Every structure is written in C-alpha cells, then in structure tokens.
Amino acid sequence: MVDETSIFIGASRKPDDSYQRAEALLLRYGNRHGLVTGATGTGKTVSLQILAEGFSNAGVPVFCADIKGDLSGISMMGEAKDFLVKRAGEVKLDPYQFQEFPVIFWDLFGEQGHPIRATISEMGPLLLSRLMNLTEAQEGVMNIAFRIADEEGLLLLDLKDLQALLANIAERADELSARYGNVTKPSVGAIQRTLLVLEQQGAANFFGEPALRVADLMRTTRDGRGAISVLAADKLMMNPRLYATFLLWLMSELFEELPEVGDLDRPKLVFFFDEAHLLFEDAPKVLIDRVEQVVRLIRSKGVGVYFVTQNPLDIPEKVLAQLGNRVQHALRAYTPREQQAVRTAAETFRPNPDFDCATAITQLATGEALVSMLEDKGVPAMVQRTLIRPPSSRLGPITPDERRKIIAESPVAGQYDQAVDRESAFEILRKKTKEAQEAEAQAKQQNSGGSRWTIPGFDDVLGTGNRRSSNRQTVAEAAIKSVVRSVGSSVGRAIVRGILGSLARGR
Ligand SMILES: Nc1ncnc2c1ncn2[C@@H]1O[C@H](COP(=O)(O)OP(=O)(O)OP(=O)(O)O)[C@@H](O)[C@H]1O
Ligand SMILES: [Mg+2]
C-alpha cells in the first residue's frame, strides 16, 4: 500500500498492540487538507515533520511555520538515536534512512531567515483591519482610504504610505465625507494611533518591497524534491495577530496567483498552519467565512492546507468539515471542555469496532495517534491506532551557525535581503504638500506685491484675498492630477488584491 503514490506515516496496531499494517497518506488526496491535533508534547510537530518530509520527497513544495524552532532540524541529517531506531523497527520502516531536506528559511523580521514582505495594497483593507483590530467604523474608513488610493493612483506599499494617506485624509475629511460617507477625524486618528503600535511591534519590516513572489515557495530541487519553506515564528508568535494575518494573506495570495488545476496525482504545494487556533480566536464572522471559502476553493488550485492545533474545537465546524486527512494525538480529559473536545474529536472519525475512540484518545502514547486518511474515492478510512514513524531528518533545533550557512546558500539568497523603497504614496503626498505650500507662498507673494495692480478680469491669475483659498485648491488638484498621470492608469484598478481584499470591497 505504500509506494510512490503515497506517504508512509506509520503502522496501525491491533487490539493486542501488535503490528497491523502500514498507514499512508495518498498523494492524490493531499489537496483535501488535513488536521493534526493533540495536547502539548504528544507528537504534533514530529507528525508535521514526517509529513513535510514525505511531501518533499514526492516533489511537493511545503510551507510551514516553526513556532518553537524545533522544526528547523528538518534541514539536517537525522541521527540513529536509540529511541528512533526502536520506533523505526516497531513500524517496520526498513531500511530507516537518514536525510537532510532542501529548506529555505524565512522570517518576517529578517533575522532567522530571508525577510518576507507584502505591500499594504496586497494585504488589503479587510486583513489590515483585522490586524489592527479596528472597529466597524474604522474599518469603513480603511475601505475608503483604499478606494481613494485607488482612484488617485497612490501606491500603498509600506506603513509610511498608509500613514501619509491617512494624514491626507484627515485634512480632507469634510470633502471626503461628502463624497464617500462618514470619514471622521477621530476614526482616522484612531487608525493612525493603531498604526504606530503596529510599527512599534516591528511590522514596518514586513510591509514593503520586494514583496514575496509565490513562485519562490514553489521551488523544487534538481533531484526532484520539493523545497520546504520554514517560517521562523518564535518571535512572530508574540504578535499572534500579525502571525495569523500573515498566513491568511499568504493563503489568499496563493489562491489568487495559482491557476485552476483540477485533480492532480499530487498537490502543487502544501501549507501547514501551526497554532491554527490563533487564526480563529475572536475573529469576526466575516473573516471566518472567508477562511472557510479560501480553504474550500484553494483545493482546486492543488494546494493542501493542514491545520495543526491542540484542540479540534479550535477550528470552526465549517472548516473542520473540509479537513480530510486526520492525525489525532492524545488529549487530556480533565475539565468539561477537555471532555467535550475528546468527544468531538472521537465523533469525527469513522468508528473502528476494535476500540472506543474517545477512550483511546486519552490513552495514546507520545508519537502515537488516531489516524484516518482519505482512501479510495476520497472517503475517510476507518480510524486506526497508529504509531507514527520517526523522522529521517534531525529531531529538534539546529544551531545558529547551521542556520546562517543554509540562509547564505539558499536559492533566494540576495533576492529579498535588502528592502527597496520606490516612489509611492508617502513620497508623492510629501511632494504634493510641498508643491501646494510653495504655490501658496508664491500666491501670497504675488498678492502682497501685486494687489494694487489688479487688472479687472484677471483676478484668477493674480489672486485676491477672498480668491486665494480656491486658488490653492486648484494647485493641489493639479498636483493630484499630475501624480495620477505619472503613476499611470494601470495601477488604478489593480491596487487592491487578494481574495480577502477584493471580496471585502464587494460587501
Ligand atoms: N513519531 C515519533 N517518533 C519518535 N519520537 C517521537 C515521535 N513523535 C514524538 N516523539 C517524541 O516526543 C517529543 C515531543 O513531540 P513533539 O515535539 O512533536 O510534540 P508537540 O505535540 O509538538 O508538542 P508541543 O505542543 O509542545 O509543541 C519529541 O521530541 C520526540 O522525542
Ligand atoms: Mg510542537
């Protein structure tokens, strides 16, 4: 049953605990998503590691977050430690071979991997609002800000672009309210303050260019293995909202950029979403709906999404229902909520007459799990008590030196390491303000010197006391128009991207 069309996961056990048979994930159902759950220390990360290894060996690129740094070992050759060799014997993994995997390290903060950046416009108003935890009114203003940027051809790349735009909007609040609806100074001010907090948390590194190219996550090596992109997430986890928003953005980018492919013999990319509960914690319903939608639709793009979390109750039911391949490690059942989680987890499996699912979940050993993968016709297999195979790569973290070496030798070395700051909203608005100020100064000068020489019918040119303000407007307007021209009309419509961004606009 285990061959090049599947990934070996481990061996299921008979009721007397003896070997039953090999358990495997069928690659052709790899895009039907999956779920790895279990309490702390029960083996989730190792399960993720062996799945990532399997996908890579099958030529499937993998993206995963490394919350504790212990997944980084996947980039190094494993070692024949006694307990690993013993486990290999128990699951009849013979020969047990060691391997290092082609890893690309990424880090939103650019410290433990290549920097990952996205532009503000790619992120879109919905995700930004979620990232900044905005109220509904503030989110409305954010939507308007994106519309204005769009209409006035202002590129939103980094945080200073958004800050400059908001400052501009605050100045024009009355005019804009008349055009788009309520744009109050307090709500703009509130967004500006939240932006400052975001900046203090280090998000400034993340917004800007060069933005991540999805193609760089889809690499394969010359010997046909899929690259494993490992996102350093230990520091990122201190800002869970940024973490969740980022991964959501990435998913929507993948969705946006990849073509429809229908059923394939293996996925095009597999995406592991560790600490997945962060995605849904106090998320507004609209966002949960979008996630559900992206997860449902991304399948036909050949992308498999695997959620990793402690408790299956962390995942909304509609999303849970789409996760076909399940690995359930042990759960504790002390509190009523824990007991509820055990029951829910047990009920989602196709029962096995050999054992009681709920009881088994509380008794599983470390590195043991209830496993049910999709089998023929995409139907979930009967649940099996399964010992998970040991990894071929190193168990545990790598050293900083090892990491540096891999980063230096990576196929994207040099591509993302330097930020680029091209002309965008911040620079344009600054220039515009300067031009407006100069024009005003000039008009003042002309006024003071020339008012005595006013020629009837030429008020507009020379300006008078009560004409001056409208004259200034004209100059500012002219500046905006010239900016629109110089940025080019192609930017106009395409400024807001991403399924989450574009759907939000349709609301
Ligand atoms: N399949 C396995 N083969 C061999 N050893 C394993 C296996 N799975 C887990 N272990 C052992 O159990 C330890 C803990 O596993 P792991 O780090 O995967 O737990 P976890 O569920 O990710 O924990 P946490 O929630 O704290 O991140 C591993 O370091 C390893 O020693
Ligand atoms: Mg872990």
Side-chain angles (χ1 to χ4, degrees):
M1 136 164 217
V2 178
D3 51 29
E4 66 281 3
T5 65
S6 62
I7 298 174
F8 175 56
I9 291 178
S12 49
R13 322 292 294 168
K14 291 186 187 147
D16 66 358
D17 242 12
S18 61
Y19 179 91
Q20 178 171 267
R21 57 163 198 177
E23 296 294 329
L25 183 150
L26 293 177
L27 283 164
R28 67 175 186 280
Y29 296 130
N31 66 335
R32 300 283 196 93
H33 309 320
L35 179 67
V36 178
T37 41
T40 302
T42 53
K44 295 186 299 297
T45 301
V46 176
S47 291
L48 193 165
Q49 185 168 352
I50 63 113
L51 285 172
E53 290 180 354
F55 280 116
S56 173
N57 278 336
V60 179
V62 172
F63 182 94
C64 49
D66 187 10
I67 305 284
K68 294 190 185 152
D70 54 351
L71 191 56
S72 57
I74 198 167
S75 60
M76 293 286 153
M77 187 84 83
E79 283 168 62
K81 298 218 166 109
D82 288 349
F83 73 103
L84 297 174
V85 173
K86 175 167 172 269
R87 175 63 65 96
E90 285 168 331
V91 301
K92 300 201 178 179
L93 174 57
D94 186 28
Y96 178 29
Q97 283 169 327
F98 296 100
Q99 224 186 317
E100 55 186 23
F101 287 81
V103 167
I104 304 179
F105 287 112
W106 302 93
D107 182 0
L108 261 62
F109 302 101
E111 289 160 6
Q112 301 201 62
H114 304 289
I116 291 196
R117 296 185 199 82
T119 62
I120 292 278
S121 55
E122 279 173 344
M123 185 62 72
L126 175 72
L127 283 180
L128 269 175
S129 301
R130 160 89 176 123
L131 176 61
M132 295 163 64
N133 203 17
L134 300 186
T135 64
E136 217 167 288
Q138 292 159 357
E139 189 180 342
V141 173
M142 188 67 101
N143 279 316
I144 293 172
F146 271 76
R147 238 178 98 182
I148 292 167
D150 201 353
E151 287 172 7
E152 301 184 359
L154 297 168
L155 271 178
L156 295 178
L157 302 179
D158 49 26
L159 281 186
K160 30 187 220 335
D161 289 331
L162 188 55
Q163 275 153 348
L165 177 64
L166 288 168
N168 181 270
I169 285 176
E171 275 171 33
R172 301 158 62 196
D174 295 338
E175 169 215 336
L176 295 173
S177 286
R179 235 194 310 160
Y180 300 103
N182 220 7
V183 181
T184 65
K185 278 194 183 148
S187 48
V188 178
I191 303 179
Q192 285 174 308
R193 283 189 298 278
T194 323
L195 269 184
L196 280 181
V197 176
L198 207 58
E199 199 174 7
Q200 279 155 9
Q201 291 169 341
N205 303 314
F206 170 56
F207 291 107
E209 290 183 318
L212 177 71
R213 289 172 47 231
V214 162
D216 280 328
L217 302 182
M218 315 276 295
R219 288 171 175 271
T220 47
T221 59
R222 235 173 263 139
D223 60 3
R225 289 183 300 161
I228 302 181
S229 285
V230 176
L231 175 74
D234 44 352
K235 190 171 164 193
L236 191 55
M237 286 313 293
M238 308 218 248
N239 189 346
R241 215 176 269 280
L242 180 60
Y243 172 74
T245 314
F246 164 70
L247 289 185
L248 215 46
W249 163 78
L250 188 55
M251 228 155 70
S252 70
E253 280 293 297
L254 289 170
F255 175 80
E256 199 86 355
E257 297 226 346
L258 300 178
E260 287 285 325
V261 287
D263 287 335
L264 300 172
D265 61 356
R266 66 202 55 212
K268 286 205 116 57
L269 177 80
V270 168
F271 188 100
F272 287 95
F273 211 136
D274 206 350
E275 301 285 345
H277 62 101
L278 295 173
L279 185 57
F280 304 107
E281 252 165 28
D282 53 63
K285 181 169 180 308
V286 50
L287 191 81
I288 294 178
D289 289 348
R290 298 279 143 76
V291 174
E292 189 263 324
Q293 199 174 8
V294 173
V295 170
R296 179 158 40 79
L297 297 174
I298 206 166
R299 215 175 92 179
S300 60
K301 311 254 172 163
V303 178
V305 182
Y306 290 69
F307 291 95
V308 182
T309 189
Q310 292 203 3
N311 192 324
L313 292 179
D314 296 339
I315 315 273
E317 220 165 303
K318 271 157 75 185
V319 177
L320 204 57
Q322 301 182 50
L323 311 179
N325 300 297
R326 306 266 177 110
V327 177
Q328 172 68 61
H329 287 283
L331 288 174
R332 284 182 283 270
Y334 303 134
T335 68
R337 182 177 146 85
E338 285 169 352
Q339 286 156 8
Q340 177 59 38
V342 169
R343 272 196 302 275
T344 308
E347 280 161 12
T348 56
F349 284 115
R350 201 175 119 196
N352 185 329
D354 283 351
F355 59 87
D356 174 58
C357 234
T359 313
I361 288 177
T362 60
Q363 295 172 344
L364 292 164
T366 305
E368 189 183 14
L370 293 189
V371 169
S372 165
M373 298 289 148
L374 295 179
E375 52 184 21
D376 259 353
K377 302 196 175 72
V379 175
M382 186 195 290
V383 62
Q384 299 291 351
R385 268 183 56 200
T386 305
L387 273 183
I388 307 294
R389 63 158 288 182
S392 293
S393 51
R394 185 191 294 174
L395 192 69
I398 58 174
T399 67
D401 273 344
E402 289 169 333
R403 186 184 288 268
R404 265 191 292 279
K405 189 158 174 281
I406 292 169
I407 293 172
E409 291 167 359
S410 117
V412 299
Q415 266 187 53
Y416 294 100
D417 301 332
Q418 287 305 317
V420 181
D421 192 5
R422 67 175 160 131
E423 180 167 271
S424 50
F426 170 76
E427 289 80 9
I428 292 168
L429 289 170
R430 191 175 54 181
K431 212 187 318 171
K432 210 164 71 173
T433 313
K434 213 168 131 230
E435 279 168 8
Q437 279 165 352
E438 280 168 9
E440 191 179 2
Q442 212 177 7
K444 256 193 198 145
Q445 215 172 25
Q446 283 173 345
N447 270 346
S448 57
S451 52
R452 278 180 292 136
W453 301 97
T454 307
I455 304 165
F458 285 82
D459 283 2
D460 285 359
V461 180
L462 294 176
T464 61
N466 49 12
R467 276 285 182 165
R468 204 167 67 211
S469 63
S470 67
N471 193 11
R472 186 177 58 193
Q473 280 249 318
T474 320
V475 172
E477 270 166 24
I480 294 174
K481 282 186 191 126
S482 83
V483 163
V484 173
R485 272 195 301 276
S486 70
V487 173
S489 54
S490 63
V491 191
R493 293 301 122 198
I495 228 162
V496 179
R497 294 184 45 236
I499 181 178
L500 295 153
S502 51
L503 287 176
R505 300 191 71 207
R507 276 200 297 166

